[in-house]
């Protein structure tokens, strides 16, 4: 349990993937998942999580992409989508993805170069 009295998982990953041509892909992640509701039951569908942290991927050509959670992502297990929070994606440019106000819907807003674009999220269950 964390200082809020909630169960949490701290994830630290440092993964190297080696290709046959001796090039390498690396993934580094440091994130925290805090269960803010539902942990006291055996029904995982009533769980609600807050997720913070970042992930960096460096591809085999040396290009780096990062994703940093700017405000905690809220994920209620009864909803297919993240309900609120923001992530900043950086590559050659940056995109801020805002999941909204906590409503369970498939709409997010992507901000690119100061301009907002409403996007529809898709959940694949393959």
């Amino acid at each position: 349990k964390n200082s809020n009295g909630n169960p949490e998982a701290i994830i630290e990953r440092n993964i190297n993937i080696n290709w046959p041509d001796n090039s390498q892909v690396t993934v580094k992640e440091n994130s925290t998942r805090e269960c803010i509701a539902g942990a006291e039951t055996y029904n995982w569908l009533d769980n609600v999580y807050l997720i913070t942290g970042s992930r960096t991927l460096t591809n085999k050509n040396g290009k780096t992409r990062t994703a940093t959670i700017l405000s905690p992502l809220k994920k209620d297990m009864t909803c297919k989508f993240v309900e609120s929070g923001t992530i900043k994606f950086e590559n050659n440019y940056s995109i801020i993805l805002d999941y909204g106000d906590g409503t369970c819907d498939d709409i997010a807003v992507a901000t690119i170069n100061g301009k907002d674009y409403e996007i529809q999220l898709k959940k694949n269950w393959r």
Side-chain angles (χ1 to χ4, degrees):
K1 293 191 175 192
N2 63 17
S3 61
N4 296 327
N6 296 326
E8 77 176 14
I10 298 172
I11 294 110
E12 295 180 7
R13 296 181 192 172
N14 191 357
I15 301 168
N16 295 314
I17 302 168
N18 297 305
W19 296 96
D21 65 359
N22 292 324
S23 60
Q24 191 176 65
V25 173
T26 62
V27 179
K28 294 182 180 182
E29 176 183 0
N30 290 298
S31 63
T32 302
R33 291 178 174 90
E34 176 185 7
C35 186
I36 60 169
E40 62 282 349
T41 71
Y42 290 106
N43 179 5
W44 63 271
L45 283 174
D46 65 356
N47 290 2
V48 180
Y49 296 92
L50 290 181
I51 305 163
T52 58
S54 64
R55 180 180 293 166
T56 301
L57 181 136
T58 304
N59 72 15
K60 67 182 194 172
N61 297 321
K63 292 194 177 209
T64 300
R65 297 179 177 118
T66 62
T68 305
I69 298 173
L70 301 177
S71 63
L73 304 180
K74 183 179 178 188
K75 178 66 177 97
D76 185 323
M77 296 306 290
T78 61
C79 182
K80 290 182 181 180
F81 305 97
V82 172
E83 297 175 346
S84 64
T86 56
I87 302 177
K88 183 176 186 178
F89 297 95
E90 294 180 277
N91 189 2
N92 296 332
Y93 51 89
S94 67
I95 299 171
I96 295 177
L97 188 62
D98 184 342
Y99 287 96
D101 62 4
T103 303
C104 179
D105 61 24
D106 62 350
I107 302 299
V109 174
T111 303
I112 306 169
N113 295 325
K115 186 168 180 180
D116 292 342
Y117 300 90
E118 188 174 277
I119 61 172
Q120 185 175 12
L121 303 170
K122 182 178 177 183
K123 183 68 176 187
N124 291 324
W125 291 101
R126 296 182 193 171

